[in-house]
Amino acid sequence: MIEVMRTLLLVGLATLISTMTLADVYKYVDADGHAYFTDTPLQGNRYRLEWHRESQTLASKSQQTLFSRTLKQALAIVPSNATETSTRTVTPDISVQRRRAIYHGLVVLNARRYQLSPGLIHAVIRAESAYNPSAVSAAGAQGLMQLMPGTAARYGVSDSFNPVENVRAGAAYLRDLLDLFDQDLKLALAGYNAGEGAVIRYGRTIPPYSETQGYVSKVLEYYRAEQPVSIAMTPR
């Protein structure tokens, strides 16, 4: 638990350093020791102000580079030039649940920001990269939520291997897809995998691609498994 908490704090610091828009940051630690960060506290006095925007200063470029390098070294599971197959390989001494815990605070923050279920973001990350921030697919998708270069550019991401930027953009993309397809989760997931254009071309149905159909089923399976975990780990 101590190791997980240290890593969560590391991700929290990464959020502060990497975020370009200064904002107040609030922190909440539940009875199990899980830390949650948000810029919009929704839980009354359960959240405490951790950093005030007026007292924040952006770290120098060299400090950000050093921190980014340290973060990647601490969280990397396989080399950044790994193939799509190898990025799905689970390192024996790092379980999925431990990797999940590392990013839970970041997931909750973006779930609140984009009005998504934390379990849904977790399910997509698990299906896309198994929580490997250095994952690269054969098609060129990168990072935790496997952003294609075009999608990354569309959402203002400068470094897809930065978990803070990657999860923010991936969550924003999911939110936009859900809105585009009238909150139809299956179509939103199909769009995330094959692109919204493909879903529209096939009459707003899941495209007849075996990869996309399998992807939608996999994410929904992970999402169903995530829901009890998210309920337990997300403060009321």
Side-chain angles (χ1 to χ4, degrees), residues 207-218:
Y209 310 148
S210 58
E211 177 189 337
T212 300
Q213 293 174 349
Y215 175 83
V216 172
S217 297
K218 179 189 292 186

Side-chain angles (χ1 to χ4, degrees), residues 131-215:
Y131 296 95
N132 175 12
S134 300
V136 179
S137 77
Q142 300 175 334
L144 286 171
M145 298 190 75
Q146 290 290 272
L147 302 178
M148 292 296 289
T151 304
R154 176 175 165 188
Y155 288 93
V157 174
S158 60
D159 180 5
S160 289
F161 297 113
N162 181 325
V164 176
E165 290 192 69
N166 191 288
V167 175
R168 175 191 59 76
Y173 188 30
L174 276 174
R175 176 74 268 161
D176 288 345
L177 288 168
L178 282 165
D179 293 342
L180 176 63
F181 296 119
D182 302 319
Q183 313 310 313
D184 188 315
L185 179 56
K186 291 183 179 179
L187 294 186
L189 293 175
Y192 195 94
N193 178 260
E196 60 266 40
V199 176
I200 293 171
R201 281 197 305 275
Y202 283 96
R204 299 174 78 88
T205 63
I206 299 175
Y209 310 148
S210 58
E211 177 189 337
T212 300
Q213 293 174 349
Y215 175 83

Side-chain angles (χ1 to χ4, degrees), residues 6-79:
R6 284 176 179 170
T7 314
L8 283 170
L9 290 174
L10 186 63
V11 173
L13 289 172
T15 304
L16 295 178
I17 292 177
S18 301
T19 302
M20 296 306 296
T21 302
L22 295 178
D24 291 345
V25 176
Y26 297 80
K27 176 183 176 183
Y28 168 74
V29 180
D30 66 17
D32 295 322
H34 298 111
Y36 305 87
F37 296 90
T38 182
D39 56 357
T40 309
L42 300 178
Q43 305 298 323
N45 60 8
R46 304 185 76 177
Y47 277 87
R48 293 287 183 267
L49 182 64
E50 189 77 1
W51 296 277
H52 186 54
R53 64 186 177 89
E54 291 181 357
S55 63
Q56 288 178 326
T57 57
L58 289 177
S60 68
K61 186 174 181 180
S62 61
Q63 289 174 315
Q64 292 186 46
T65 300
L66 177 60
F67 190 92
S68 240
R69 186 182 304 118
T70 303
L71 180 66
K72 287 179 182 179
Q73 290 172 347
L75 303 183
I77 296 168
V78 295

